[in-house]
Amino acid sequence: MTPEIVILAMIAAFLGLRLYSVLGRRAEHEEEPIQGRFEGRQGQPGAARVPAPKPDAKTDDRNPARQAQRLREMPLAPPSVERGLAEIAQVDRRFDALAFLEGARSAYRMILEAFWKADKAELRALCDDDVYESFSAAIDARVEAGETMDNRLIRIEECAVTAAGIDNGLARITLRFRSDIAAVTRDADGHVVAGSLDDAIEAVDVWTFSRAVNSPDPDWLLDETDAA
């Protein structure tokens, strides 16, 4: 194996560790699957299929009073986050903060599993150009090194909004994820070269999703990843 391939393999392994540090803990039970696409609110195409009640002043999520109530149901967040979410909800009447959090958890699982399986088509649909290119390069380096990832998401322990707002028509929401991941990297012969499925690794990452508020597409895209 040439030095260049060794370096690329090390880079791919590092990126893999950063990627799988985005979900949560579940030491004794598997994470319950979260259905539905990652989008603004239930009832949109691809969302979890929940019968929609006839909108009225009390139940219509587009109603300002209902939006305020939904924000109060959110986990405790700093005032700046509450103001940012309210700003997004005011401009984008389809936005529902609680449904967004549910979708974010699902999207993280989908993105991580796509990366582990080297599914570029799925990553392309869930990430913006810059993030996709980073993931794609890491996958290419892994393939070049003849390695595969056998990772398992154990549990999403924490999913909290740390920042939210609108910038030049682009709604952006940043979330902090704390996760346990069992991670294994195998060589071309299937031998384990890094990690263990017996021990989960706890990690914390901060990911930002964005969506143009005037776009007819309800889906959000991952547009930034950072370590906490």
Side-chain angles (χ1 to χ4, degrees):
M1 183 180 293
T2 67
E4 290 80 6
I5 292 179
V6 172
I7 293 173
L8 288 173
M10 293 174 65
I11 293 173
F14 172 77
L15 290 175
L17 286 172
R18 295 313 320 152
L19 281 173
Y20 62 62
S21 65
V22 193
L23 288 141
R25 327 169 45 95
R26 186 143 182 165
E28 299 177 355
H29 306 283
E30 284 189 325
E31 175 70 13
E32 295 180 2
I34 302 172
Q35 298 180 351
R37 288 284 291 162
F38 183 39
E39 56 185 27
R41 114 180 150 92
Q42 291 179 346
Q44 301 287 333
R49 299 305 179 191
V50 179
K54 183 177 180 180
D56 58 33
K58 295 182 179 179
T59 62
D60 187 2
D61 285 338
R62 294 169 296 180
N63 182 277
R66 176 59 177 160
Q67 283 287 356
Q69 178 183 338
R70 291 286 279 172
L71 288 177
R72 287 193 295 270
E73 295 170 4
M74 289 278 293
L76 186 63
S80 60
V81 169
E82 293 182 355
R83 288 194 298 269
L85 293 174
E87 179 185 15
I88 295 172
Q90 184 176 12
V91 176
D92 182 0
R93 294 302 181 89
R94 293 179 298 181
F95 177 73
D96 181 300
L98 289 177
F100 173 87
L101 281 179
E102 294 171 3
R105 293 165 67 96
S106 180
Y108 271 109
R109 175 184 291 276
M110 294 166 65
I111 290 170
L112 293 180
E113 291 181 349
F115 177 75
W116 297 336
K117 296 175 183 177
D119 187 345
K120 290 186 178 182
E122 182 76 354
L123 290 171
R124 175 71 281 180
L126 296 168
C127 306
D128 77 351
D129 292 342
D130 290 341
V131 174
Y132 170 76
E133 290 300 331
S134 296
F135 287 178
S136 179
I139 290 173
D140 290 342
R142 189 199 315 160
V143 172
E144 181 70 18
E147 295 179 342
T148 58
M149 300 185 78
D150 184 13
N151 295 359
R152 313 285 172 81
L153 168 63
I154 306 303
R155 186 186 179 189
I156 301 175
E157 177 69 20
E158 180 184 33
C159 174
V161 179
T162 61
I166 296 178
D167 183 16
N168 294 323
L170 190 68
R172 302 184 81 242
I173 300 178
T174 301
L175 303 102
R176 180 181 185 271
F177 290 83
R178 183 158 54 93
S179 62
D180 275 352
I181 302 291
V184 164
T185 300
R186 302 181 186 275
D187 63 18
D189 297 322
H191 300 137
V192 175
V193 296
S196 170
L197 290 178
D198 296 327
D199 298 312
I201 300 173
E202 181 183 89
V204 177
D205 276 279
V206 178
W207 283 15
T208 300
F209 288 84
S210 65
R211 175 183 175 273
V213 294
N214 61 352
S215 171
D217 186 351
D219 291 343
W220 295 66
L221 296 178
L222 176 63
D223 78 358
E224 187 176 342
T225 62
D226 292 297

